[in-house]
Amino acid sequence: MRRSALLIPVLLSTLAGAQSVTPALVPRISPPGQVQPVAPGTRTSMALPTLTLRPALPGVHRVDVLGNGFIRVAHALVLPRTALSPAQLQTLAVTAALRTYRADPGLAEVDVSIYRAQTYQGFGGPLPLLTLSVPASRRAVLQTEVMAGTYDRIWVQGSAPPEQEITPLQELERVPVFIGTQADLLRQRLEQALGLAGGGVRPGGLLFKGTPARRQVALTFDDAPHPLYFPLVLDTLRRAGAHATFFVIGRNAEAYPYFVQDMVRGGHEVANHTYHHVRLPKLSDAQITAELQRTTDLLTHLSGQPVRYFRPPGGEYSARVLRIARNLGLTTVFWTDDPGDFQNPGVETVEARFARTLRPGGIILLHDNAPDGLAALPDLLKVATEKGYTVDTAGTLTR
């Protein structure tokens, strides 16, 4: 089911538009989290092409390949079943990258993720042991620089024990859901109506829409960065001269820090999507604060820039969540237009929905790991340009 193009906070109709949540009923989730599936929507996404490495490399589970119409990249998922030292992990990652290039010399980038086979739950689950990113231009120096300790696109998990994870979920994000009392809901609807009418940031730190006076839209991506999809999204935006706001999941940034730095170099905006991609209204004040502050601190360190914007995972929020975000200096950003890329409706459907709902001051929601959204992105940007729109970050809507 597609989210409404108009952003109206809703709850289940059987609850007459409101639901109370009291601190006494907040469950303990330690630690909170959700594995990020790749577009698990109403239609099954197409299987990705894969490469076969020859000779076979023990531990390599699969090597996926994907393109954006301009370049192709590969992601090697490596699941060793025996414990390896950091040096052995680095050697394995370098070997996997070089053999992937050997299998397909035309690749523009190869990314490698090494997880413990025994605890691997999918992307967004327990952190990998090591990640490596090798653009084609760095291929020749890879082995030398990794051995010298000077290669800057590698991450190795520290000595701290990995976090335990709750059971992985594959839950579609929905129309934004406000959880609170009837009075809270009415106040929120009023803020939303005023925000949609006039645009700009509301006094409570809420951004529903930009000003309708400028032919400008904000392009936003949730759940970044994904090691296969993100390089392709970034390349597509660069070719179109467009900029976007990436709502980054903290633990994804932890494992792929060089991608956050790529965002900044590309002129994009880095924003907060919590550390574990957890539904915040279920948490205590301390847990919500930790989710947001931990992510802001990490992204600030990696990007060298202040983090100003936040979007609640799953669209679930409450007055309490908004208050804590505001107290941490974050503006909560919603959206006006959702082409539904995470539901795999088909590329043509994504494009048609985008073109139909494009409007001045609009905030467009896409996802970092949705194949239909990636395939549609060049045409989406072309349509916006042909209609005279500037595609930029959420932050530009507030200037």
Side-chain angles (χ1 to χ4, degrees):
M1 181 176 64
R2 178 174 175 264
R3 298 188 190 97
S4 171
L6 292 176
L7 177 60
I8 302 178
V10 294
L11 289 173
L12 300 176
S13 59
T14 55
L15 297 181
Q19 174 180 330
S20 295
V21 174
T22 62
L25 298 179
V26 173
R28 293 184 64 187
I29 304 176
S30 181
Q34 180 187 21
V35 171
Q36 283 76 65
V38 174
T42 52
R43 286 173 33 176
T44 302
S45 57
M46 295 180 61
L48 294 172
T50 60
L51 287 176
T52 300
L53 304 189
R54 292 188 175 89
L57 184 61
V60 173
H61 180 69
R62 62 183 294 126
V63 180
D64 292 321
V65 182
L66 192 61
N68 64 355
F70 304 103
I71 63 171
R72 289 176 300 106
V73 303
H75 175 243
L77 172 63
V78 185
L79 305 176
R81 295 196 170 275
T82 58
L84 300 176
S85 69
Q88 289 173 320
L89 288 172
Q90 291 186 18
T91 298
L92 178 57
V94 168
T95 304
L98 294 178
R99 288 199 188 175
T100 299
Y101 270 119
R102 187 186 305 166
D104 188 344
L107 292 168
E109 180 170 321
V110 173
D111 295 303
V112 180
S113 302
I114 303 179
Y115 291 82
R116 283 186 181 87
Q118 296 82 354
T119 58
Y120 177 68
Q121 295 179 8
F123 177 73
L127 288 173
L129 299 171
L130 179 147
T131 70
L132 176 70
S133 177
V134 189
S137 61
R138 304 290 299 278
R139 176 184 173 185
V141 300
L142 173 64
Q143 199 157 15
T144 301
E145 292 189 359
V146 169
M147 290 181 63
T150 59
Y151 193 73
D152 59 341
R153 296 180 69 82
I154 189 170
W155 174 86
V156 182
Q157 187 184 114
S159 58
E163 294 179 311
Q164 296 178 348
E165 298 288 334
I166 64 172
T167 302
L169 302 175
Q170 293 199 355
E171 179 180 337
L172 278 174
E173 294 188 323
R174 301 170 290 179
V175 174
V177 175
F178 182 85
I179 296 177
T181 65
Q182 184 69 35
D184 286 339
L185 180 61
L186 291 174
R187 283 193 290 270
Q188 181 65 14
R189 282 179 170 164
L190 176 60
E191 285 295 322
Q192 174 205 332
L194 294 172
L196 288 173
V201 179
R202 298 294 304 155
L206 309 178
L207 178 60
F208 295 101
K209 183 182 177 183
T211 173
R214 296 200 302 266
R215 210 162 180 82
Q216 183 178 36
V217 293
L219 181 61
T220 68
F221 291 88
D222 282 7
D223 302 346
H226 188 286
L228 180 63
Y229 292 84
F230 175 75
L232 296 170
V233 170
L234 206 62
D235 179 77
T236 303
L237 294 174
R238 179 186 62 80
R239 292 172 186 275
H243 298 98
T245 298
F246 288 92
F247 287 92
V248 175
I249 297 171
R251 62 182 174 186
N252 294 356
E254 188 95 47
Y256 302 94
Y258 36 81
F259 287 147
V260 176
Q261 293 155 2
D262 289 345
M263 292 178 198
V264 175
R265 282 192 288 267
H268 305 290
E269 189 169 60
V270 182
N272 191 321
H273 203 42
T274 74
Y275 188 84
H276 289 98
H277 199 253
V278 67
R279 292 353 187 207
L280 292 174
K282 300 176 181 179
L283 305 184
S284 66
D285 285 12
Q287 287 174 314
I288 296 170
T289 300
E291 282 289 320
L292 297 182
Q293 190 65 61
R294 182 178 182 182
T295 305
T296 290
D297 290 347
L298 174 63
L299 295 179
T300 300
H301 171 71
L302 293 175
S303 69
Q305 298 182 354
V307 176
R308 297 187 175 93
Y309 300 102
F310 153 69
R311 177 173 284 158
E316 291 186 11
Y317 68 109
S318 65
R320 192 165 55 94
V321 170
L322 298 179
R323 172 179 54 79
I324 292 172
R326 183 175 67 251
N327 289 343
L328 293 175
L330 295 168
T331 294
T332 302
V333 179
F334 297 97
W335 60 88
T336 60
D337 305 310
D338 174 16
D341 63 337
F342 212 53
Q343 297 170 319
N344 301 314
V347 176
E348 295 80 6
T349 299
V350 172
E351 293 173 351
R353 289 172 177 173
F354 175 87
R356 186 170 63 245
T357 58
L358 197 61
R359 72 199 75 179
I363 301 175
I364 302 151
L365 170 64
L366 294 173
H367 292 81
D368 172 67
N369 53 352
D372 284 358
L374 172 64
L377 185 57
D379 281 342
L380 302 189
L381 297 171
K382 181 180 178 182
V383 166
T385 300
E386 289 174 346
K387 292 190 174 185
Y389 285 91
T390 299
V391 180
D392 216 318
T393 65
T396 60
L397 297 182
T398 67
R399 297 170 191 163

